[in-house]
Each structure stands twice: as structure tokens, then as C-alpha cells.
Amino acid sequence: MQRLYDFLRRHPTGVDTFWAVVLFGFSLLWVVSAPSSTGGAALAYVAVAALFSLVVALRRRMPEKMLVLTVALGLLQLAAGLVPFMADFAMLVIIYTVAAHDGPRWASRLALAGGLSAATLSQLRWPLENESSSAAKVFFTVIMTVPFALAWVLGDSLRTRRAYFAQLEERASRLEKEREAQAKVAVAAERARIARELHDVVAHNVSVMVVQADGAAYVMDSSPETAKQALETISSTGRQALAEMRRLLGILRTGEHQEAGEYVPQPDVQQIGDLVDTVRGAGLAVDFKVEGTPRPLPSGVELTAYRIVQEALTNTRKHGGPDAGASVRLVYFDDGLGLLVEDDGRGAPQEMYEDGGADGRGHGLIGMRERVGMVGGTLDAGPRPGGGFRISALLPLKPAH
């Protein structure tokens, strides 16, 4: 049964042609049996029936043209005095088709006007016999108008419903595309966040390990104790880097089998002091001060503050020169947390802090700006007038949940 239904849907013109042949056959039977259809009148009825059957056969391929043909045939019947017969059923079919078709509105209005006036014109042309009263004539006219009105209402309702479902499908498709776009944006944002975390971990800890390894190799023979202390710093820095790498892996492996071991929490403002001590142990003189009253901060602000200080001190070690010194100021305001990291070294080349540079470097400062922007803060980074480099940031404070 489903195959038959699918076949009929794939061949609508064939189905309409079948019904057109059926209508023409019944019309011929009426012409043969009707006493008034003789001679030339019979030929006229047959011609009209053939044209009405054509209307049914082509109603879905060219509905507007078939509607105009139907109007012309109706007027021809009125003028020639051809009484309504079986073929006039095509009027109901074309009215329904035009109303259901998503075509020009004039065609639908013409179909409605023609359907509502067909019964009235027919009654005026061929009034009821047997001396019927006016009330009976009006009642008969209304009854004959109802099928035409119902045909138009049914077709228009079908068109409206089809347009509604098409709109729902279009909206669902648009929402699906929007969800895919949002998913891509979320994935890109997550990848950028993980990339910033990896950069901060690798750039800071590995640079400390390289500096300490170079120093240990330089004083290995002359000062074994100093070399031993440098190796211990390398060991502790390496363990810290591994711990942070495990934390990132734990984020990436959520819901899957994770490696055994504890994942350390993400860094916060309280660990900036430990970070400064580690940098001092690596040979960089750092002055660290906290002003204002410490208070609980949102986790995003905590991590942003820590990473800014970490990246700034890493840049000082990499670009400040052999005798560079740095200072770190952490200021708690009423509505924000201020950070000021300065050094008196040579500073980074100009291209290192302008859009990443032509050589693709400078990702640390770009990462700082992205982090600060995510928490709604401001960042200012650049060379100091008297030499060295300065990074200042203001992070807004929000009540901690």
C-alpha cells in the first residue's frame, strides 16, 4: 500500500488525468441520457465536458491558466444556455487547487469570487420551477454556494498549513546551523584557552629550567654547591610543570580513563608569592608588594592575575638581560584588582608586543590581552620611558559565589 501511495505522489499529473477521464466518461453518460442534449447542443456539451476534463488533468501543472479557462467556460455556459451538468464538478476541483496552491493572490481571490457567485448566477439564469417562493430560491442558492465555499476554505487551510510546516522546517534548519556555529566557536575558544595554558606552563617552567641548567653547567667545577642548588630548582620546577600538565590533561580527558595521581588546582593569587620565590631562586631579583586588603576573587580573575605575573617575569628573564631586576605590585581596590609588573632590563623588541610580530612571536602578550578581555579588564603593555618593560592590568572584582 505504501508503494502505491509513493507512486501516486511521484506522478500527480497521471492521477489527475485518470480522474479527468472518469469525469469525461460520466459527462458523456449524462449527455447521452439527457433529453435536452440533442444535435448541436450535444456537441456543445461534449466540447465543454472535454475542456472541463482538461482543467482537471492540468490543474496542478498550470492552476492559474486552468482557473481562467474555467471562468471562460462558466460564462460560455451562461451565454449559450447550457444547463449545469456533471462536468461542472471541475469548478470545485479548480477552486480547491488554486486556493491550496502557493501562487499569486489574485488567482485565489478570483476563485473565491467565482465560487461564491456561481450558484447565484446559475439561479438567475435557470430559476427553480413549480412557482417556488423567494425564500426557497434563496435557501437553494445558499445551499449550492456552500460546496464552493468549503472547497476554497479547505484549499486555503491546506496552503496555510503547508507554509507553516515549511517555516518550522526552515527555522529548525537555521537553529541547527546556529548550534553548529556556536559549537565551533566554543571548541575554538576552548582550544585557545588550553593553548594559553600550555604556553604559560611551558614558557615559564621550561625557561626557568634552561636558565638553571646553563648556570649549573657554568659553575659545576668551581662551585658544586651552587650547581647542586640549581639542579634542585630544575627538579622542583619540572615537577611543578608536570603537575600543571596533568591538570590540563585531566581537563581534556573528562569522562574518560584518567591517569592515576592527583591533579593540582589551578593557580590563584595566593600562589603569586611562591611564583616570585621560584623566580628569585632562578637568579632574578624581584621586589613583591601587596597593597590593600586581600579578599576572595572569582576563579577567572585569580588565574588571570597569576598568569599575567608569570608571563611578565618570564619575559623579563628572556629579554631583560643579565642584570635585570623586576618589581611586582598587587593592589586591591574597592572595585578592582590592579597588577603592575616592571623591569629595568633591555626590554623586548618592538615587534614582540605589536600583534604578535611579523615572525609569529609575541603570543604571551596576546594571551594576556585575551585573558584580561575574558574577565572584562584592561591591559597596558609596552616599554618604559626610562628603559625596561612595564605591564599594568586592572581586573574588575565581582562577589565570589
Side-chain angles (χ1 to χ4, degrees), residues 103-341:
R105 298 307 298 168
W106 66 263
S108 179
R109 296 190 182 98
L110 177 61
L112 177 61
L116 295 179
S117 60
T120 302
L121 294 176
S122 176
Q123 179 62 28
L124 293 176
R125 182 67 175 83
W126 299 282
L128 293 177
E129 299 178 356
N130 301 325
E131 298 180 358
S132 300
S133 64
S134 299
K137 294 180 180 179
V138 172
F139 179 76
F140 179 78
T141 302
V142 172
I143 292 299
M144 295 303 297
T145 303
V146 169
F148 293 96
L150 289 179
W152 186 90
V153 170
L154 181 61
D156 189 69
S157 299
L158 181 62
R159 180 190 61 81
T160 303
R161 183 180 180 185
R162 191 162 51 233
Y164 173 72
F165 280 112
Q167 184 179 13
L168 289 181
E169 291 178 358
E170 189 273 336
R171 183 181 303 175
S173 176
R174 185 174 66 250
L175 290 177
E176 183 177 357
K177 292 180 180 179
E178 291 178 357
R179 283 196 298 268
E180 292 178 357
Q182 291 174 357
K184 291 180 180 179
V185 171
V187 170
E190 185 66 12
R191 291 178 63 183
R193 186 184 69 82
I194 294 173
R196 287 194 299 268
E197 291 289 319
L198 288 174
H199 172 271
D200 294 338
V201 171
V202 173
H204 171 71
N205 293 294
V206 173
S207 64
V208 171
M209 295 168 67
V210 170
V211 171
Q212 292 295 315
D214 291 341
Y218 182 75
V219 300
M220 180 67 71
D221 297 330
S222 60
S223 180
E225 290 297 327
T226 303
K228 180 180 179 181
Q229 182 181 2
L231 292 175
E232 292 177 352
T233 302
I234 292 174
S235 177
S236 62
T237 303
R239 281 192 292 270
Q240 180 182 358
L242 287 175
E244 294 201 30
M245 290 293 290
R246 289 193 185 99
R247 178 177 63 83
L248 291 177
L249 290 175
I251 295 174
L252 293 175
R253 294 176 178 175
T254 300
E256 300 180 4
H257 176 68
Q258 301 180 357
E259 295 180 351
E262 294 290 335
Y263 293 118
V264 298
Q266 64 181 14
D268 55 20
V269 174
Q270 301 300 324
Q271 297 182 30
I272 293 180
D274 298 334
L275 173 65
V276 171
D277 293 338
T278 302
V279 174
R280 286 171 180 167
L284 178 65
V286 181
D287 180 28
F288 177 54
K289 290 184 178 179
V290 178
E291 302 177 4
T293 303
R295 71 197 67 159
L297 305 175
S299 59
V301 175
E302 297 260 2
L303 179 60
T304 300
Y306 181 90
R307 293 305 188 196
I308 289 176
V309 175
Q310 184 184 52
E311 180 65 27
L313 295 179
T314 299
N315 289 340
T316 299
R317 282 200 309 272
K318 293 169 64 176
H319 309 293
D323 299 323
S327 63
V328 178
R329 296 289 183 273
L330 187 65
V331 183
Y332 286 90
F333 298 106
D334 293 337
D335 57 351
L337 175 67
L339 287 173
L340 178 63
V341 184

Side-chain angles (χ1 to χ4, degrees), residues 35-107:
S36 60
S37 58
T38 58
L43 293 178
Y45 279 115
V46 172
V48 171
L51 292 176
F52 273 129
S53 299
L54 180 65
V55 168
V56 175
L58 301 179
R59 66 185 184 93
R60 278 188 273 200
R61 297 191 63 177
M62 45 185 69
E64 290 82 13
K65 293 181 180 179
M66 293 301 101
L67 174 65
V68 174
L69 177 59
T70 301
V71 172
L73 290 175
L75 295 177
L76 176 63
Q77 278 189 268
L78 291 174
L82 301 177
V83 298
F85 66 114
M86 184 66 65
D88 290 319
F89 182 79
M91 293 183 179
L92 294 175
V93 176
I94 194 61
I95 288 175
Y96 163 81
T97 302
V98 171
H101 180 64
D102 191 14
R105 298 307 298 168
W106 66 263

